[in-house]
Amino acid sequence: MACLNICKEEGSAQGKPMKKEQEVCTRDGSVDRHGDPAIRGRTGTWFAGILILVNQGLATLAFFGVGVNLVLFLTRVLGQDNADAANNVSKWTGTVYIFSLLGAFLSDSYWGRYKTCAIFQAIFVTGLASLSLTSYLFLLKPRGCGDEQTPCGSHSTYQKAFFYFSIYLVALGNGGYQPNIATFGADQFDEGDAEEGYSKIAFFSYFYLALNLGSLFSNTILGYFEDHGMWALGFWASAGSALLALVLFLVGTPRYRHFTPQGNPLCRFCQVMVAAARKWKVQRVPNQDDLFELEGSKDSSKNGERRIQHTQGFRFLDRAAIKDYTEDENDIYNPWRVCPVNQVEEVKCILRLLPIWLCTILYSVVFTQMASLFVEQGAAMKTTISKFHIPPASMSSFDILSVAAFIFIYRRVLDPFVAGIRKDPKGLTELQRMGIGLVIAIIAMVSAGVVELLRLKYAKKECPNCESASSLSIFWQIPQYVLIGASEVFMYVGQLEFFNGQAPDGLKSFGSALCMTSISLGNYVSSLLVTIVMKVSTRDKMPGWIPGNLNKGHLDRFYFLLAALTTADLIVYIICAKWYKYIKFEGNQQRNLGGESKLSNEEADLKVELEKLSDFPKRKSQHFPSVEMWRNTSKLLSNPNYHHNRLNSSLSDFSGNGFVFGPQSLLTHYYSSPQSATSDSLKLGISNHKSDGIRAFSSSSAAAPAVVDALSPLASAVQLARHYSSCYWELSKARLSMLVVATSGTGYVLGSAGSAVDLAGLGWTCAGTMMVAASANSLNQVFEKNNDAKMKRTRQRPLPSGRLTIPHALSWAVSVGVAGTAILACKANMLAAGLGASNLFLYAFVYTPLKQIHPVNTWVGAVVGAIPPLMG
Ligand SMILES: CC(C)=CCC/C(C)=C/CC/C(C)=C/COP(=O)(O)OP(=O)(O)O
């Protein structure tokens, strides 16, 4: 009601007709900083979201600026031995994750996410500043010590105490802030709105990307300085970055949306358990109507929290909601005797999440290998290219690049592709994605095992007695890093979305903390596993699988063991995922992120109508819309809720997801001007309203067969051929590709200087280059469909104009790309094919995503342009 009032004031204050409630206020119960219902246009969404993403990137940079080389600091500066240093780092890392539970608890119960983030970030900055100061003033003595050659002097107990106090402040600050910032970012998008719900899902991917980019900077640049003894610089840079992150966070204060904390969840949990146990002997579990519900102001759902639908599982807990008092006692109910259904369902939700969460721990065991055994394996390989040394730990940059590329591939290609195939805008659910993450993790472990086998083979052949060395290049590790990066995108982004979306409203931060604790437990399980493996494998005086000298061990077997364990975990996971029931809310409070439905009720109705309409192209004998279709359409259009913008945004939402429905343009056409839809244009499925007057086919190429039925066979064949050839021409940016071919051909001719030009070779090289360039351009357009739709220059391209579907364009791109590379490989040489394929990758998967992120993409574009002459 409060929301309605505010919205009324909004409308009348401007002297305009009053806007509808859902257009102005958020529908998820979020409030602004004054506690009033949040107004959609003034709060949240991407302004707040981007601030939070940048804040996360900077804070991660700061955290890893300390974490990445802490073990080196302890050995070189504080003079600890390797084992003590490793132990201290493990304790410190573990503490970060324990503090994450504390942060989640405080924010869910009392402080709310904004306050918790601000307080813990302030602690984080204080810890970093104190660490920088302590190091600079007391620990880095004599000046310049702490690199590989110069050890530092001894330190007093006070100085060491200051150091530990500082790094544990950093742990407290980061731990308490981390789970809350992810959830707080997600809070900025209203699930009740289709567009914002979609942005919320995107937010989790970008959040993970920001996290990775921040750590990339620390792993490479800060790591380099610290490794060379410039510790104070590294720590001050971290402190500065954390301070900047905090300032940016505070800058967004007026724009944030908030959710009111719901009180101590531990207490609510215990109440349900105690109340259920007290009524253990109650025979009959009543039906839902007999269960206790809070009414009026006591109902937490009036407080922004949605009521969870009653579910059938864990029925013994329903006993907690059996009323065991008479009606007149209603006002003074004892929460330790009877609990409302919503409270009981909260407990059930968490119990359902636990098996899934347990299955994710083994994935984290695989993930942690990247920071430990992968590095040791890399150190035992050939780490030089000519005179340049590649630090084995820096190979994790491939993981980070892979994360960036796969976030993009997942969001722009795979999800729309799956949605297109399933004819369902949902795409993959979080649980499915986490399953895919496990599968990729298994492949990564197999790949690491195979590389280790090869490494051992080379080591034994060339230098049987060498200490941990092999002539196999460290670049053979790239696939395992890339695969781990890909698996993270599916597993960790899926996990973030899943635990955040599936946790009850009062426990959202706890949901994010579950992800963090899974990583931390992965660390502990990993060291437990290593200990067990070493104990078993060192029996009978054997060196064991993972000895100091890896050439004497069998790291390959350890990787294969992990692959086998992850496979077993995958099987258990599938069973748990099948058993899992997504959270559902009562009435129109249905959530969008649950995977069951990403649509609000309004959109769901619209989708049903559209799905009926989408049958149109399949009914080949019907060239005119059926009476039922007309009725559905007019019902849809006469409904005032489906105002123009909403309809269009819903349509573009569906098509943005690759959801194929034929009469999209038809429907938009009807809606914008029902009278102008001539029966001819309906019959042909051709829309006449394109701005450039081009008669284009209707939005989906799936509609083409229906169109063709209306014509004579020959005319239809010609029409189809013209349609597709013009689509492929435009998709391949044929004129640009021909220019590329010209540079490649010139290179070929210049390269044949002194001898006659082999014309056949020239022809094949040009053809191959043309096809690979066409493929690169087509992929570029697939990834840029949504952006192209926004610009006048590009909105007529085949994908944004709806003349071709994404799966169709992808099939074309893959076919010409593979064929072109094969032609170059067979008819030119492997170098040309390799350059062509790499250039395709560079343009489609590096330049294109970078284009939206940073102007540095122009440099990548320059390289892309420079490679074709080299191919020639
Ligand atoms: C052999 C091989 C793979 C060659 C590739 C050559 C190639 C495609 C060069 C294009 C280079 C480039 C930076 C184009 C701009 O794309 P854009 O995305 O900025 O253009 P847009 O905005 O018009 O889509």
Side-chain angles (χ1 to χ4, degrees):
M1 194 59 204
C3 181
L4 200 59
N5 286 340
I6 282 184
C7 300
K8 274 181 181 167
E9 283 163 23
E10 275 271 301
S12 54
Q14 292 160 7
K16 289 178 190 159
M18 194 188 78
K19 288 183 183 173
K20 286 207 314 292
E21 180 184 353
Q22 65 266 34
E23 281 184 274
V24 179
C25 291
T26 55
R27 284 191 275 172
D28 57 0
S30 55
V31 292
D32 63 17
R33 69 191 160 127
H34 305 296
D36 295 327
I39 294 176
R40 196 184 292 289
R42 292 200 209 145
T43 56
T45 67
W46 281 115
F47 179 83
I50 287 173
L51 278 179
I52 290 171
L53 288 177
V54 179
N55 165 277
Q56 168 67 12
L58 290 169
T60 313
L61 186 158
F63 177 72
F64 283 103
V66 176
V68 75
N69 276 328
L70 189 58
V71 74
L72 283 185
F73 188 86
L74 293 178
T75 49
R76 291 186 196 167
V77 179
L78 292 192
Q80 296 180 359
D81 64 30
N82 281 341
D84 279 349
N87 236 338
N88 281 327
V89 172
S90 297
K91 277 187 217 150
W92 182 75
T93 319
T95 316
V96 174
Y97 293 112
I98 289 168
F99 283 140
S100 78
L101 287 174
L102 174 72
F105 174 77
L106 286 172
S107 89
D108 282 339
S109 315
Y110 309 112
W111 289 352
R113 287 184 263 283
Y114 172 78
K115 197 167 161 190
T116 314
C117 282
I119 290 176
F120 280 105
Q121 279 195 79
I123 295 175
F124 186 48
V125 175
T126 314
L128 284 166
S130 147
L131 173 66
S132 313
L133 216 57
T134 312
S135 307
Y136 181 72
L137 293 180
F138 310 126
L139 304 178
L140 296 167
K141 295 280 161 77
R143 283 270 165 263
C145 74
D147 60 6
E148 230 171 333
Q149 279 89 38
T150 333
C152 295
S154 60
H155 305 103
S156 72
T157 315
Y158 285 119
Q159 290 170 343
K160 285 185 198 161
F162 250 108
F163 167 77
Y164 279 111
F165 174 71
S166 308
I167 60 166
Y168 277 89
L169 267 190
V170 171
L172 173 65
N174 190 264
Y177 143 90
Q178 271 299 332
N180 291 302
I181 195 73
T183 318
F184 189 55
D187 288 349
Q188 306 309 313
F189 301 93
D190 175 8
E191 289 173 28
D193 177 81
E195 207 172 309
E196 287 196 29
Y198 191 68
S199 301
K200 186 175 203 154
I201 295 168
F203 174 82
F204 286 110
S205 302
Y206 295 135
F207 184 83
Y208 200 68
L209 184 63
L211 196 147
N212 273 275
L213 291 178
S215 71
L216 177 66
F217 187 84
S218 336
N219 279 338
T220 50
I221 299 177
L222 289 191
Y224 176 85
F225 285 124
E226 291 172 0
D227 200 21
H228 285 74
M230 286 173 253
W231 293 100
L233 176 74
F235 291 163
W236 280 119
S238 296
S241 172
L243 182 64
L244 184 61
L246 176 60
V247 170
L248 278 178
F249 179 77
L250 296 176
V251 163
T253 303
R255 292 283 304 208
Y256 294 136
R257 292 177 187 167
H258 306 258
F259 285 90
T260 323
Q262 306 291 334
N264 186 341
L266 282 179
C267 182
R268 294 207 300 276
F269 256 64
C270 296
Q271 285 171 347
V272 172
M273 294 300 177
V274 171
R278 276 183 161 172
K279 281 169 262 179
W280 192 248
K281 292 213 173 102
V282 172
Q283 284 299 311
R284 190 181 60 89
V285 176
N287 64 33
Q288 197 193 335
D289 296 340
D290 301 330
L291 295 176
F292 177 63
E293 276 296 0
L294 277 182
E295 300 299 335
S297 59
K298 288 178 196 155
D299 184 355
S300 56
S301 65
K302 301 275 176 299
N303 212 9
E305 192 184 357
R306 293 164 294 184
R307 262 196 206 168
I308 307 169
Q309 267 182 21
H310 177 250
T311 54
Q312 292 304 323
F314 301 109
R315 294 199 72 180
F316 63 93
L317 289 176
D318 284 343
R319 288 188 169 87
I322 296 174
K323 290 180 229 172
D324 64 346
Y325 57 90
T326 51
E327 286 301 322
D328 48 339
E329 285 175 295
N330 200 357
D331 273 338
I332 40 158
Y333 88 97
N334 178 351
W336 296 92
R337 262 172 56 184
V338 61
C339 305
V341 184
N342 198 50
Q343 193 176 337
V344 174
E345 286 302 324
E346 272 188 359
V347 178
K348 289 188 187 176
C349 274
I350 297 299
L351 292 182
R352 280 197 194 99
L353 287 176
L354 289 182
I356 301 281
W357 173 74
L358 283 172
C359 292
T360 62
I361 294 173
L362 205 74
Y363 170 81
S364 295
V365 175
V366 170
F367 173 70
T368 56
Q369 302 316 316
M370 201 169 53
S372 51
L373 291 181
F374 279 17
V375 180
E376 291 188 19
Q377 185 189 31
M381 297 172 88
K382 185 176 161 238
T383 55
T384 47
I385 317 179
S386 60
K387 281 184 188 147
F388 188 71
H389 168 71
I390 300 149
S394 70
M395 291 294 286
S396 63
S397 308
F398 285 100
D399 162 74
I400 295 167
L401 289 177
S402 163
V403 166
F406 274 92
I407 283 182
F408 184 73
I409 293 171
Y410 168 69
R411 289 196 45 70
R412 293 294 164 97
V413 183
L414 193 66
D415 204 30
F417 185 67
V418 173
I421 286 182
R422 291 176 156 190
K423 298 207 171 20
D424 185 337
K426 271 189 306 201
L428 293 166
T429 64
E430 293 91 345
L431 283 174
Q432 287 166 339
R433 278 152 51 195
M434 286 155 72
I436 294 175
L438 279 174
V439 174
I440 304 177
I442 296 169
I443 304 173
M445 282 300 103
V446 173
S447 154
V450 171
V451 169
E452 180 60 13
L453 276 175
L454 272 175
R455 195 193 68 77
L456 286 174
K457 197 172 137 195
Y458 274 66
K460 283 188 184 128
K461 204 163 61 187
E462 284 149 17
C463 181
N465 297 319
C466 284
E467 275 274 309
S468 280
S470 166
S471 61
L472 189 71
S473 166
I474 194 169
F475 287 116
W476 281 87
Q477 282 195 313
I478 293 176
Q480 67 206 55
Y481 279 102
V482 169
L483 283 164
I484 292 285
S487 70
E488 282 171 62
V489 171
F490 287 96
M491 179 52 98
Y492 284 143
V493 178
Q495 245 188 70
L496 265 176
E497 276 177 43
F498 179 74
F499 287 119
N500 202 279
Q502 295 300 302
D505 282 348
L507 285 162
K508 291 275 179 217
S509 299
F510 174 74
S512 299
L514 275 182
C515 303
M516 292 187 70
T517 43
S518 144
I519 304 177
S520 117
L521 285 175
N523 272 292
Y524 293 127
V525 175
S526 170
S527 49
L528 182 73
L529 199 65
V530 171
T531 314
I532 295 173
V533 161
M534 282 307 281
K535 230 185 170 73
V536 174
S537 63
T538 47
R539 276 190 203 149
D540 305 328
K541 298 210 170 72
M542 295 296 280
W545 285 2
I546 319 168
N549 177 1
L550 283 184
N551 288 0
K552 294 213 159 86
H554 267 295
L555 186 56
D556 52 323
R557 290 186 192 162
F558 184 73
Y559 287 142
F560 292 136
L561 173 72
L562 272 182
L565 288 175
T566 315
T567 310
D569 184 52
L570 175 67
I571 294 167
V572 178
Y573 172 81
I574 292 172
I575 296 168
C576 295
K578 283 230 165 288
W579 165 82
Y580 185 78
K581 282 193 184 64
Y582 276 98
I583 191 169
K584 284 183 182 160
F585 294 91
E586 283 182 6
N588 63 359
Q589 301 166 313
Q590 186 72 30
R591 73 184 308 105
N592 293 328
L593 289 175
E596 293 265 288
S597 168
K598 286 175 183 169
L599 307 172
S600 66
N601 289 354
E602 205 176 330
E603 271 83 37
D605 292 346
L606 177 60
K607 187 185 158 214
V608 170
E609 301 293 348
L610 289 170
E611 274 171 349
K612 286 178 193 163
L613 290 167
S614 70
D615 279 339
F616 173 54
K618 289 180 210 141
R619 291 185 234 143
K620 293 196 173 190
S621 57
Q622 283 175 270
H623 303 307
F624 291 95
S626 67
V627 174
E628 193 194 353
M629 259 181 66
W630 275 107
R631 215 184 297 127
N632 284 335
T633 313
S634 51
K635 195 172 79 189
L636 184 70
L637 302 180
S638 60
N639 184 342
N641 286 334
Y642 299 134
H643 52 88
H644 190 105
N645 290 340
R646 188 147 198 87
L647 181 68
N648 280 339
S649 79
S650 301
L651 289 170
S652 61
D653 258 354
F654 290 144
S655 59
N657 273 310
F659 181 69
V660 181
F661 53 87
Q664 173 183 324
S665 59
L666 198 68
L667 188 63
T668 317
H669 198 91
Y670 286 166
Y671 187 63
S672 50
S673 111
Q675 295 84 356
S676 67
T678 64
S679 62
D680 273 357
S681 65
L682 292 179
K683 187 159 66 181
L684 290 172
I686 291 169
S687 91
N688 294 323
H689 67 286
K690 305 268 169 199
S691 57
D692 65 353
I694 296 169
R695 276 161 48 104
F697 272 78
S698 69
S699 71
S700 164
S701 55
V707 175
V708 168
D709 275 358
L711 306 167
S712 77
L714 183 67
S716 63
V718 171
Q719 184 75 285
L720 260 186
R722 279 177 52 190
H723 168 66
Y724 287 125
S725 47
S726 82
C727 284
Y728 295 152
W729 178 268
E730 290 172 48
L731 205 58
S732 309
K733 297 185 189 162
R735 276 173 297 179
L736 171 67
S737 296
M738 285 191 295
L739 284 175
V740 169
V741 170
T743 64
S744 181
T746 312
Y748 190 95
V749 174
L750 291 178
S752 336
S755 56
V757 176
D758 170 9
L759 285 180
L762 175 64
W764 283 119
T765 307
C766 288
T769 309
M770 178 77 192
M771 289 167 89
V772 180
S775 168
N777 283 319
S778 305
L779 285 175
N780 166 274
Q781 289 192 40
V782 167
F783 298 146
E784 300 224 284
K785 181 186 163 188
N786 290 344
N787 283 341
D788 282 350
K790 291 177 195 154
M791 284 188 294
K792 202 174 166 200
R793 175 174 69 86
T794 50
R795 71 170 68 111
Q796 292 304 330
R797 287 180 172 174
L799 288 169
S801 66
R803 281 177 289 145
L804 216 58
T805 58
I806 286 187
H808 193 140
L810 260 182
S811 318
W812 160 256
V814 173
S815 321
V816 282
V818 171
T821 314
I823 287 176
L824 288 173
C826 303
K827 297 290 179 180
N829 58 35
M830 288 306 284
L831 180 63
L835 281 172
S838 320
N839 210 26
L840 184 150
F841 182 83
L842 203 60
Y843 179 54
F845 298 103
V846 181
Y847 169 86
T848 306
L850 255 183
K851 197 171 149 184
Q852 286 162 49
I853 299 172
H854 200 274
V856 80
N857 80 309
T858 46
W859 290 94
V860 182
V863 178
V864 173
I867 286 180
L870 282 181
M871 290 167 64

